[in-house]
Structure formats: C-alpha cells, structure tokens
Amino acid sequence: MGSLRTSEPEEEDEEGEKEKEDCTSLLLGESQPTKAAPICCSARYSLAVWAFFGFFLLYALRVNLSVALVDMVETNTTLTQNTTSQTCEAHSSAPVVPRNTTGKKYNWNADTQGWILGSFFYGYIITQIPGGYLARRVGGKLLMGFGVLGTAIFTLFTPLAADLGVGYLIAVRALEGVGEGVTFPAMHVMWSSWAPPLERSKLLSISYAGAQLGTVVSLPLSGIISFYMDWMYIFYIFGVLWFLFWIWVVSDTPENHKRISLAEKEYILSTLSDQLSTQKSVPWGAMLTSLPLWAIVVAHFSYNWTFYTLLTLLPTYMKDILKFDVQESISFCMEPENRCSYILAVMLEASLGTPKV
C-alpha cells in the first residue's frame, strides 16, 4: 500500500508535464512536441548577427552625409536667406588639435542642402513594396546583399558626384535610397523561413538593432574622420567587405543551408509547418479596412518622421543655430564634465524660441 501511495504523485507529475508539452505543441502548431535546437553556433542566430552588421552598415552609410555636409558647405551659407532665425552666440572653445581644412567647399544654400539631404528618401520610398515582391521571386539573400552592396558603392561616388554638380549628388543619393529600400522587405521574407515562432522577437530584435547602433556610431565617427582627415574619407571608410561574408555564410531557407545541423533544420521546419500561409494573393481589402493595421501605420509614420528629421538635420542645426562645431562637439560630449544631455536641453530651449546658450 505504501508503494502505491508514493507512486500516485509521480503519476500526477508526469501527466502535468505531458499536458504542458501538449500545450507547447499546440502553440507551435505541431502534431508532436519538438525540442528547441541549441542557440550556440546555430545557423539562425548566425543569420541574425550578419543581418545586424548589414543594417549597421546601411545606417552608417545613410547618416554620414549629414555630418559631412557641415564641412562641405561654405560657412554661414545656410543662414544667408534666413535672417529671422534666432541663433546662439558662437562658442569660444577651440579644438584640441589643429583642424583639417583641406576639403573642398561648395556654395549651396539652405534649399539646395534640403534637396540633397532629402533625395535619399525619394529613392527609399519607391522600393519598399516592390522589395517584398522581388524577395519572394529572387530570394531575400541576394536582394538584401545587393541592396547593401549597391548602397555602399554609390556612397563611394558621393565626392565625385559633388564635384560634378548638385544634380549628380542628388541622383546618387536617390540611388542609395533605392538600394536600401529593399533591405527591410528582403529581411522580413528571410525571417518568415528562418525564425521559429517562440524565438521570432529575439531574432528580429538582434538583426534590426544594427540600424540603431549604426546611427549611434556613425555620427561621432564621421565627425572624427572629418576632423582628423577630410570629409571625403567619410564616404570611403565604410567598405563593402560585409557583402562577401553574407553571400558565403547565409542562405535563403534552412533547406538550402550547407552548414546547418539536422536537429536545427528539423526544429525550424517543424515549428513553421503550420505558420506559413498557403494563400497566394494579397488580401488588400482586409488590409485596407483593418483598424489595427492603420493604427500601426500612423504610429510608425509619426516615429519615423521625427526620428529621420532629427537624424538628418541634427549636425546642420548644431552648427548654424547652436553654433557648435560638429567635430568639436564630439570631443565636448566625450569630456567627463560635460554631458550630451546639455546639448539636448539647449536644443529644446531653442525650439521653444529662447535659444540662449
């Protein structure tokens, strides 16, 4: 009798564990529970890391012109037609080392600079939806790879295009936007075949975090390059080596990957077996009448509008309105006794109409 009594809790525990496994199977859309493949040295996390570096490079190439333009334009050209702007007094602090002033200067007014900075988005916006269609046709790997490679190559031609004329520079920047516009749709298509449902948020967060880090690193690094070398080198430093590793390491689907383990391949395919839609046509009617979808569109548009405006115009604003030299501001933020939050506070005060520094 004693042995029977001790076995009852064990049987109940086994039934409870079995129910948990069955619930997990239902969440994953499986007929049988599947054990998660290890994370270490896995192909899916390798894809996330290489995508991280790809988006890091993309955003570094996107924002470097914002810093370089400050040195490319003649002093006070921006404000010659804007006499009503309130500006801060010039700061008297001098750079620690002699500044390199060998770069060529251009007499571009504020309108011309606006066209140059905004031309990227004219190319960027037209390839968003076609990018998803092309990724389904040719594969996300090639589209993502050549999107980054094309952006990097056109960036190399930026100094030459500036010498040829404003129109050439605007065209090159628009072509950069065309190349970069397909990258996010291509990556979405790849993750639809690679990301298990319970790891989807983590994998996508790793890959797209490169965009934010690329922005954080590129802005001060571009200022340092311009300070010690020349603004032209800003467009030469960020190379195209990533493309070679991407083509060699990454595959469109787990089935085509040459170095993936059998356990990981079975894990990914089994968890995605009931996740992929068999519907071939796009449900445009349901999408256009979906209130949650429009809420996401409005929120995402509002975020991107403010973020890209700040990202694109911040160096020019700091130079012409706050009277901070961009290269000098980099060392200013790095000093222990100073804080970049002070600059942000000054910007907020200036935006309210009382720019007194």
Tab-separated table of all heavy atoms in Angstrom, residues 103-159:
chain	number	residue	atom	x	y	z
A	103	GLY	N	39.427	70.075	-47.257
A	103	GLY	CA	38.294	69.637	-48.059
A	103	GLY	C	37.707	70.758	-48.895
A	103	GLY	O	37.704	71.927	-48.488
A	104	LYS	N	37.185	70.400	-50.046
A	104	LYS	CA	36.595	71.391	-50.944
A	104	LYS	C	35.274	71.890	-50.381
A	104	LYS	O	34.509	71.133	-49.781
A	104	LYS	CB	36.382	70.772	-52.326
A	104	LYS	CG	35.912	71.759	-53.379
A	104	LYS	CD	35.826	71.105	-54.752
A	104	LYS	CE	35.357	72.107	-55.792
A	104	LYS	NZ	35.261	71.482	-57.145
A	105	LYS	N	34.995	73.189	-50.577
A	105	LYS	CA	33.769	73.806	-50.090
A	105	LYS	C	32.839	74.123	-51.259
A	105	LYS	O	33.289	74.423	-52.367
A	105	LYS	CB	34.085	75.096	-49.323
A	105	LYS	CG	34.989	74.913	-48.109
A	105	LYS	CD	34.275	74.206	-46.984
A	105	LYS	CE	35.140	74.165	-45.733
A	105	LYS	NZ	34.463	73.517	-44.595
A	106	TYR	N	31.538	74.070	-50.986
A	106	TYR	CA	30.529	74.337	-52.019
A	106	TYR	C	29.589	75.426	-51.534
A	106	TYR	O	29.243	75.493	-50.347
A	106	TYR	CB	29.737	73.067	-52.328
A	106	TYR	CG	30.597	71.917	-52.799
A	106	TYR	CD1	31.047	70.952	-51.895
A	106	TYR	CD2	30.971	71.791	-54.130
A	106	TYR	CE1	31.843	69.897	-52.309
A	106	TYR	CE2	31.763	70.744	-54.555
A	106	TYR	CZ	32.194	69.804	-53.640
A	106	TYR	OH	32.984	68.761	-54.055
A	107	ASN	N	29.156	76.249	-52.455
A	107	ASN	CA	28.272	77.361	-52.137
A	107	ASN	C	26.819	76.923	-52.333
A	107	ASN	O	26.133	77.328	-53.263
A	107	ASN	CB	28.599	78.564	-53.039
A	107	ASN	CG	27.867	79.812	-52.595
A	107	ASN	OD1	27.421	79.918	-51.454
A	107	ASN	ND2	27.732	80.762	-53.513
A	108	TRP	N	26.339	76.085	-51.439
A	108	TRP	CA	24.978	75.570	-51.500
A	108	TRP	C	24.125	76.273	-50.452
A	108	TRP	O	24.479	76.303	-49.274
A	108	TRP	CB	24.957	74.070	-51.249
A	108	TRP	CG	25.639	73.256	-52.312
A	108	TRP	CD1	25.827	73.604	-53.607
A	108	TRP	CD2	26.223	71.959	-52.154
A	108	TRP	NE1	26.483	72.608	-54.292
A	108	TRP	CE2	26.742	71.578	-53.422
A	108	TRP	CE3	26.370	71.073	-51.084
A	108	TRP	CZ2	27.382	70.367	-53.635
A	108	TRP	CZ3	27.004	69.870	-51.294
A	108	TRP	CH2	27.503	69.513	-52.554
A	109	ASN	N	22.996	76.821	-50.872
A	109	ASN	CA	22.112	77.479	-49.919
A	109	ASN	C	21.275	76.441	-49.173
A	109	ASN	O	21.383	75.233	-49.395
A	109	ASN	CB	21.218	78.504	-50.631
A	109	ASN	CG	20.392	77.868	-51.738
A	109	ASN	OD1	20.048	76.691	-51.689
A	109	ASN	ND2	20.062	78.658	-52.753
A	110	ALA	N	20.391	76.934	-48.306
A	110	ALA	CA	19.612	76.038	-47.450
A	110	ALA	C	18.680	75.150	-48.268
A	110	ALA	O	18.507	73.964	-47.942
A	110	ALA	CB	18.813	76.863	-46.441
A	111	ASP	N	18.063	75.698	-49.318
A	111	ASP	CA	17.161	74.890	-50.147
A	111	ASP	C	17.911	73.758	-50.834
A	111	ASP	O	17.427	72.623	-50.902
A	111	ASP	CB	16.483	75.781	-51.190
A	111	ASP	CG	15.492	76.747	-50.567
A	111	ASP	OD1	15.021	76.448	-49.449
A	111	ASP	OD2	15.193	77.782	-51.188
A	112	THR	N	19.079	74.073	-51.359
A	112	THR	CA	19.881	73.044	-52.031
A	112	THR	C	20.286	71.947	-51.054
A	112	THR	O	20.225	70.754	-51.379
A	112	THR	CB	21.128	73.676	-52.661
A	112	THR	OG1	20.734	74.704	-53.589
A	112	THR	CG2	21.954	72.623	-53.387
A	113	GLN	N	20.694	72.351	-49.852
A	113	GLN	CA	21.054	71.355	-48.848
A	113	GLN	C	19.863	70.480	-48.476
A	113	GLN	O	20.006	69.271	-48.252
A	113	GLN	CB	21.597	72.053	-47.606
A	113	GLN	CG	22.896	72.803	-47.833
A	113	GLN	CD	23.351	73.537	-46.588
A	113	GLN	OE1	23.456	72.962	-45.513
A	113	GLN	NE2	23.610	74.841	-46.723
A	114	GLY	N	18.682	71.073	-48.433
A	114	GLY	CA	17.483	70.294	-48.139
A	114	GLY	C	17.204	69.252	-49.209
A	114	GLY	O	16.839	68.105	-48.905
A	115	TRP	N	17.370	69.633	-50.473
A	115	TRP	CA	17.183	68.677	-51.565
A	115	TRP	C	18.213	67.553	-51.505
A	115	TRP	O	17.892	66.381	-51.766
A	115	TRP	CB	17.271	69.393	-52.913
A	115	TRP	CG	16.004	70.068	-53.317
A	115	TRP	CD1	15.722	71.394	-53.237
A	115	TRP	CD2	14.835	69.441	-53.848
A	115	TRP	NE1	14.447	71.648	-53.693
A	115	TRP	CE2	13.882	70.465	-54.086
A	115	TRP	CE3	14.497	68.129	-54.150
A	115	TRP	CZ2	12.621	70.196	-54.597
A	115	TRP	CZ3	13.235	67.851	-54.673
A	115	TRP	CH2	12.316	68.878	-54.889
A	116	ILE	N	19.425	67.889	-51.162
A	116	ILE	CA	20.483	66.874	-51.075
A	116	ILE	C	20.188	65.877	-49.958
A	116	ILE	O	20.275	64.653	-50.146
A	116	ILE	CB	21.854	67.537	-50.864
A	116	ILE	CG1	22.247	68.347	-52.102
A	116	ILE	CG2	22.925	66.501	-50.552
A	116	ILE	CD1	23.495	69.187	-51.912
A	117	LEU	N	19.824	66.386	-48.785
A	117	LEU	CA	19.559	65.515	-47.650
A	117	LEU	C	18.276	64.709	-47.828
A	117	LEU	O	18.180	63.569	-47.369
A	117	LEU	CB	19.487	66.338	-46.358
A	117	LEU	CG	20.794	66.975	-45.901
A	117	LEU	CD1	20.557	67.897	-44.709
A	117	LEU	CD2	21.821	65.905	-45.531
A	118	GLY	N	17.297	65.288	-48.501
A	118	GLY	CA	16.023	64.593	-48.677
A	118	GLY	C	15.971	63.660	-49.866
A	118	GLY	O	15.066	62.828	-49.960
A	119	SER	N	16.928	63.775	-50.782
A	119	SER	CA	16.883	62.968	-52.009
A	119	SER	C	16.974	61.477	-51.714
A	119	SER	O	16.449	60.655	-52.468
A	119	SER	CB	18.016	63.384	-52.949
A	119	SER	OG	19.279	63.273	-52.309
A	120	PHE	N	17.640	61.104	-50.629
A	120	PHE	CA	17.738	59.693	-50.266
A	120	PHE	C	16.352	59.065	-50.111
A	120	PHE	O	16.102	57.945	-50.567
A	120	PHE	CB	18.533	59.552	-48.966
A	120	PHE	CG	18.510	58.173	-48.377
A	120	PHE	CD1	19.459	57.238	-48.756
A	120	PHE	CD2	17.542	57.811	-47.448
A	120	PHE	CE1	19.438	55.954	-48.215
A	120	PHE	CE2	17.516	56.543	-46.910
A	120	PHE	CZ	18.473	55.618	-47.293
A	121	PHE	N	15.439	59.781	-49.499
A	121	PHE	CA	14.125	59.210	-49.189
A	121	PHE	C	13.244	59.093	-50.423
A	121	PHE	O	12.306	58.293	-50.423
A	121	PHE	CB	13.442	60.063	-48.116
A	121	PHE	CG	14.200	60.092	-46.824
A	121	PHE	CD1	15.038	61.151	-46.515
A	121	PHE	CD2	14.098	59.051	-45.913
A	121	PHE	CE1	15.750	61.174	-45.325
A	121	PHE	CE2	14.805	59.070	-44.718
A	121	PHE	CZ	15.629	60.135	-44.428
A	122	TYR	N	13.531	59.862	-51.469
A	122	TYR	CA	12.754	59.716	-52.700
A	122	TYR	C	13.021	58.363	-53.346
A	122	TYR	O	12.125	57.753	-53.941
A	122	TYR	CB	13.088	60.850	-53.670
A	122	TYR	CG	12.631	62.199	-53.182
A	122	TYR	CD1	13.546	63.188	-52.815
A	122	TYR	CD2	11.279	62.490	-53.069
A	122	TYR	CE1	13.129	64.421	-52.348
A	122	TYR	CE2	10.854	63.720	-52.603
A	122	TYR	CZ	11.773	64.678	-52.240
A	122	TYR	OH	11.358	65.889	-51.774
A	123	GLY	N	14.249	57.894	-53.256
A	123	GLY	CA	14.535	56.551	-53.746
A	123	GLY	C	14.121	55.481	-52.760
A	123	GLY	O	13.691	54.392	-53.140
A	124	TYR	N	14.219	55.791	-51.479
A	124	TYR	CA	13.933	54.820	-50.430
A	124	TYR	C	12.461	54.407	-50.409
A	124	TYR	O	12.135	53.244	-50.170
A	124	TYR	CB	14.341	55.434	-49.092
A	124	TYR	CG	14.272	54.509	-47.909
A	124	TYR	CD1	15.170	53.456	-47.771
A	124	TYR	CD2	13.328	54.702	-46.910
A	124	TYR	CE1	15.124	52.612	-46.675
A	124	TYR	CE2	13.277	53.881	-45.805
A	124	TYR	CZ	14.169	52.827	-45.698
A	124	TYR	OH	14.112	52.001	-44.609
A	125	ILE	N	11.573	55.359	-50.696
A	125	ILE	CA	10.146	55.086	-50.541
A	125	ILE	C	9.572	54.245	-51.678
A	125	ILE	O	8.590	53.519	-51.500
A	125	ILE	CB	9.363	56.419	-50.410
A	125	ILE	CG1	7.954	56.159	-49.889
A	125	ILE	CG2	9.334	57.164	-51.741
A	125	ILE	CD1	7.180	57.426	-49.579
A	126	ILE	N	10.187	54.295	-52.858
A	126	ILE	CA	9.581	53.627	-54.014
A	126	ILE	C	9.911	52.136	-54.083
A	126	ILE	O	9.310	51.414	-54.880
A	126	ILE	CB	10.020	54.304	-55.334
A	126	ILE	CG1	11.525	54.152	-55.534
A	126	ILE	CG2	9.595	55.762	-55.353
A	126	ILE	CD1	12.008	54.694	-56.869
A	127	THR	N	10.846	51.659	-53.267
A	127	THR	CA	11.226	50.244	-53.347
A	127	THR	C	10.763	49.439	-52.138
A	127	THR	O	11.133	48.269	-52.003
A	127	THR	CB	12.753	50.103	-53.477
A	127	THR	OG1	13.394	50.860	-52.445
A	127	THR	CG2	13.219	50.588	-54.833
A	128	GLN	N	9.954	50.015	-51.269
A	128	GLN	CA	9.506	49.288	-50.090
A	128	GLN	C	8.589	48.115	-50.460
A	128	GLN	O	8.866	46.963	-50.126
A	128	GLN	CB	8.781	50.243	-49.139
A	128	GLN	CG	9.647	51.344	-48.588
A	128	GLN	CD	10.634	50.831	-47.560
A	128	GLN	OE1	10.303	50.006	-46.719
A	128	GLN	NE2	11.863	51.304	-47.632
A	129	ILE	N	7.502	48.400	-51.163
A	129	ILE	CA	6.557	47.342	-51.549
A	129	ILE	C	7.128	46.451	-52.648
A	129	ILE	O	7.050	45.216	-52.539
A	129	ILE	CB	5.209	47.961	-51.964
A	129	ILE	CG1	4.568	48.649	-50.746
A	129	ILE	CG2	4.279	46.893	-52.538
A	129	ILE	CD1	3.259	49.326	-51.036
A	130	PRO	N	7.724	47.000	-53.715
A	130	PRO	CA	8.349	46.114	-54.711
A	130	PRO	C	9.448	45.233	-54.121
A	130	PRO	O	9.692	44.135	-54.614
A	130	PRO	CB	8.935	47.093	-55.740
A	130	PRO	CG	8.103	48.318	-55.609
A	130	PRO	CD	7.777	48.409	-54.151
A	131	GLY	N	10.100	45.693	-53.065
A	131	GLY	CA	11.152	44.899	-52.446
A	131	GLY	C	10.640	43.582	-51.903
A	131	GLY	O	11.301	42.537	-52.034
A	132	GLY	N	9.454	43.589	-51.293
A	132	GLY	CA	8.881	42.345	-50.796
A	132	GLY	C	8.545	41.380	-51.915
A	132	GLY	O	8.751	40.161	-51.792
A	133	TYR	N	8.015	41.908	-53.015
A	133	TYR	CA	7.685	41.061	-54.165
A	133	TYR	C	8.947	40.462	-54.774
A	133	TYR	O	9.007	39.263	-55.085
A	133	TYR	CB	6.936	41.882	-55.207
A	133	TYR	CG	6.660	41.135	-56.488
A	133	TYR	CD1	5.619	40.221	-56.571
A	133	TYR	CD2	7.441	41.355	-57.624
A	133	TYR	CE1	5.366	39.527	-57.747
A	133	TYR	CE2	7.205	40.671	-58.800
A	133	TYR	CZ	6.158	39.758	-58.855
A	133	TYR	OH	5.923	39.073	-60.022
A	134	LEU	N	9.992	41.283	-54.941
A	134	LEU	CA	11.243	40.782	-55.525
A	134	LEU	C	11.915	39.756	-54.617
A	134	LEU	O	12.528	38.796	-55.099
A	134	LEU	CB	12.197	41.952	-55.777
A	134	LEU	CG	11.826	42.897	-56.915
A	134	LEU	CD1	12.786	44.080	-56.956
A	134	LEU	CD2	11.835	42.160	-58.255
A	135	ALA	N	11.798	39.949	-53.305
A	135	ALA	CA	12.410	38.994	-52.383
A	135	ALA	C	11.778	37.618	-52.520
A	135	ALA	O	12.457	36.590	-52.400
A	135	ALA	CB	12.279	39.500	-50.950
A	136	ARG	N	10.476	37.574	-52.772
A	136	ARG	CA	9.805	36.294	-52.996
A	136	ARG	C	10.244	35.655	-54.308
A	136	ARG	O	10.280	34.431	-54.434
A	136	ARG	CB	8.290	36.494	-53.006
A	136	ARG	CG	7.689	36.785	-51.651
A	136	ARG	CD	7.760	35.593	-50.732
A	136	ARG	NE	7.096	35.834	-49.459
A	136	ARG	CZ	7.122	34.984	-48.443
A	136	ARG	NH1	7.803	33.843	-48.546
A	136	ARG	NH2	6.509	35.274	-47.317
A	137	ARG	N	10.588	36.482	-55.268
A	137	ARG	CA	10.943	35.968	-56.592
A	137	ARG	C	12.406	35.548	-56.682
A	137	ARG	O	12.715	34.467	-57.192
A	137	ARG	CB	10.655	37.031	-57.656
A	137	ARG	CG	9.207	37.494	-57.716
A	137	ARG	CD	8.319	36.498	-58.397
A	137	ARG	NE	8.643	36.336	-59.795
A	137	ARG	CZ	7.975	35.535	-60.614
A	137	ARG	NH1	6.951	34.824	-60.159
A	137	ARG	NH2	8.326	35.420	-61.884
A	138	VAL	N	13.310	36.371	-56.210
A	138	VAL	CA	14.749	36.103	-56.372
A	138	VAL	C	15.410	35.645	-55.081
A	138	VAL	O	16.556	35.196	-55.110
A	138	VAL	CB	15.475	37.353	-56.906
A	138	VAL	CG1	14.855	37.823	-58.197
A	138	VAL	CG2	15.460	38.491	-55.878
A	139	GLY	N	14.701	35.778	-53.961
A	139	GLY	CA	15.280	35.381	-52.684
A	139	GLY	C	15.753	36.569	-51.870
A	139	GLY	O	16.335	37.517	-52.418
A	140	GLY	N	15.504	36.514	-50.569
A	140	GLY	CA	15.888	37.619	-49.703
A	140	GLY	C	17.383	37.765	-49.550
A	140	GLY	O	17.886	38.869	-49.334
A	141	LYS	N	18.124	36.677	-49.670
A	141	LYS	CA	19.577	36.727	-49.508
A	141	LYS	C	20.221	37.626	-50.554
A	141	LYS	O	20.998	38.528	-50.220
A	141	LYS	CB	20.143	35.319	-49.601
A	141	LYS	CG	21.656	35.255	-49.703
A	141	LYS	CD	22.127	33.838	-49.963
A	141	LYS	CE	23.623	33.791	-50.244
A	141	LYS	NZ	24.098	32.408	-50.486
A	142	LEU	N	19.914	37.397	-51.821
A	142	LEU	CA	20.510	38.201	-52.891
A	142	LEU	C	20.028	39.644	-52.841
A	142	LEU	O	20.819	40.576	-53.045
A	142	LEU	CB	20.189	37.584	-54.246
A	142	LEU	CG	20.884	36.253	-54.571
A	142	LEU	CD1	20.423	35.734	-55.929
A	142	LEU	CD2	22.399	36.412	-54.553
A	143	LEU	N	18.737	39.835	-52.575
A	143	LEU	CA	18.197	41.195	-52.565
A	143	LEU	C	18.794	42.004	-51.411
A	143	LEU	O	19.176	43.164	-51.591
A	143	LEU	CB	16.682	41.152	-52.462
A	143	LEU	CG	15.949	42.442	-52.828
A	143	LEU	CD1	16.207	42.805	-54.282
A	143	LEU	CD2	14.448	42.304	-52.585
A	144	MET	N	18.883	41.402	-50.244
A	144	MET	CA	19.496	42.076	-49.099
A	144	MET	C	20.967	42.351	-49.377
A	144	MET	O	21.471	43.461	-49.122
A	144	MET	CB	19.343	41.195	-47.857
A	144	MET	CG	20.076	41.701	-46.634
A	144	MET	SD	19.312	43.150	-45.899
A	144	MET	CE	20.377	43.384	-44.466
A	145	GLY	N	21.676	41.356	-49.897
A	145	GLY	CA	23.106	41.523	-50.152
A	145	GLY	C	23.403	42.603	-51.162
A	145	GLY	O	24.238	43.479	-50.921
A	146	PHE	N	22.712	42.572	-52.297
A	146	PHE	CA	22.968	43.577	-53.325
A	146	PHE	C	22.400	44.943	-52.949
A	146	PHE	O	22.883	45.964	-53.447
A	146	PHE	CB	22.391	43.107	-54.667
A	146	PHE	CG	23.244	42.085	-55.356
A	146	PHE	CD1	22.895	40.751	-55.345
A	146	PHE	CD2	24.415	42.455	-55.997
A	146	PHE	CE1	23.692	39.800	-55.973
A	146	PHE	CE2	25.216	41.528	-56.618
A	146	PHE	CZ	24.851	40.187	-56.608
A	147	GLY	N	21.386	44.968	-52.089
A	147	GLY	CA	20.899	46.256	-51.593
A	147	GLY	C	21.959	46.971	-50.774
A	147	GLY	O	22.209	48.165	-50.959
A	148	VAL	N	22.616	46.231	-49.868
A	148	VAL	CA	23.687	46.820	-49.063
A	148	VAL	C	24.893	47.155	-49.942
A	148	VAL	O	25.503	48.222	-49.805
A	148	VAL	CB	24.097	45.854	-47.935
A	148	VAL	CG1	25.263	46.437	-47.135
A	148	VAL	CG2	22.916	45.572	-47.017
A	149	LEU	N	25.245	46.239	-50.859
A	149	LEU	CA	26.398	46.475	-51.730
A	149	LEU	C	26.171	47.697	-52.619
A	149	LEU	O	27.072	48.531	-52.787
A	149	LEU	CB	26.647	45.241	-52.596
A	149	LEU	CG	27.823	45.341	-53.581
A	149	LEU	CD1	29.133	45.489	-52.841
A	149	LEU	CD2	27.851	44.117	-54.498
A	150	GLY	N	24.974	47.820	-53.198
A	150	GLY	CA	24.680	48.976	-54.046
A	150	GLY	C	24.745	50.280	-53.273
A	150	GLY	O	25.285	51.285	-53.764
A	151	THR	N	24.219	50.272	-52.041
A	151	THR	CA	24.285	51.467	-51.213
A	151	THR	C	25.730	51.863	-50.921
A	151	THR	O	26.093	53.044	-50.982
A	151	THR	CB	23.527	51.241	-49.895
A	151	THR	OG1	22.175	50.850	-50.181
A	151	THR	CG2	23.515	52.507	-49.055
A	152	ALA	N	26.565	50.868	-50.620
A	152	ALA	CA	27.973	51.148	-50.320
A	152	ALA	C	28.709	51.674	-51.544
A	152	ALA	O	29.522	52.602	-51.443
A	152	ALA	CB	28.650	49.877	-49.794
A	153	ILE	N	28.438	51.093	-52.717
A	153	ILE	CA	29.127	51.518	-53.937
A	153	ILE	C	28.735	52.942	-54.318
A	153	ILE	O	29.593	53.772	-54.654
A	153	ILE	CB	28.832	50.540	-55.085
A	153	ILE	CG1	29.512	49.188	-54.819
A	153	ILE	CG2	29.307	51.109	-56.423
A	153	ILE	CD1	29.200	48.131	-55.851
A	154	PHE	N	27.449	53.243	-54.268
A	154	PHE	CA	27.020	54.601	-54.608
A	154	PHE	C	27.560	55.622	-53.609
A	154	PHE	O	27.814	56.772	-53.972
A	154	PHE	CB	25.492	54.676	-54.668
A	154	PHE	CG	24.909	54.084	-55.921
A	154	PHE	CD1	24.031	53.019	-55.853
A	154	PHE	CD2	25.247	54.585	-57.166
A	154	PHE	CE1	23.495	52.461	-57.005
A	154	PHE	CE2	24.714	54.041	-58.333
A	154	PHE	CZ	23.837	52.967	-58.258
A	155	THR	N	27.742	55.199	-52.355
A	155	THR	CA	28.334	56.098	-51.370
A	155	THR	C	29.761	56.469	-51.750
A	155	THR	O	30.207	57.601	-51.530
A	155	THR	CB	28.303	55.453	-49.977
A	155	THR	OG1	26.949	55.158	-49.620
A	155	THR	CG2	28.896	56.387	-48.931
A	156	LEU	N	30.497	55.524	-52.338
A	156	LEU	CA	31.870	55.800	-52.763
A	156	LEU	C	31.931	56.888	-53.834
A	156	LEU	O	32.932	57.595	-53.957
A	156	LEU	CB	32.516	54.523	-53.300
A	156	LEU	CG	32.712	53.377	-52.296
A	156	LEU	CD1	33.287	52.155	-52.999
A	156	LEU	CD2	33.625	53.810	-51.162
A	157	PHE	N	30.850	57.027	-54.614
A	157	PHE	CA	30.818	58.026	-55.685
A	157	PHE	C	30.332	59.387	-55.204
A	157	PHE	O	30.224	60.317	-56.005
A	157	PHE	CB	29.925	57.544	-56.828
A	157	PHE	CG	30.505	56.408	-57.611
A	157	PHE	CD1	30.021	55.125	-57.458
A	157	PHE	CD2	31.549	56.618	-58.494
A	157	PHE	CE1	30.555	54.065	-58.176
A	157	PHE	CE2	32.094	55.573	-59.221
A	157	PHE	CZ	31.596	54.289	-59.056
A	158	THR	N	30.027	59.517	-53.917
A	158	THR	CA	29.489	60.784	-53.414
A	158	THR	C	30.435	61.961	-53.623
A	158	THR	O	30.001	63.020	-54.118
A	158	THR	CB	29.126	60.645	-51.924
A	158	THR	OG1	28.165	59.597	-51.759
A	158	THR	CG2	28.550	61.949	-51.394
A	159	PRO	N	31.721	61.888	-53.286
A	159	PRO	CA	32.610	63.039	-53.531
A	159	PRO	C	32.707	63.404	-55.008
A	159	PRO	O	32.729	64.593	-55.355
A	159	PRO	CB	33.966	62.564	-52.986
A	159	PRO	CG	33.635	61.511	-51.986
A	159	PRO	CD	32.439	60.810	-52.548
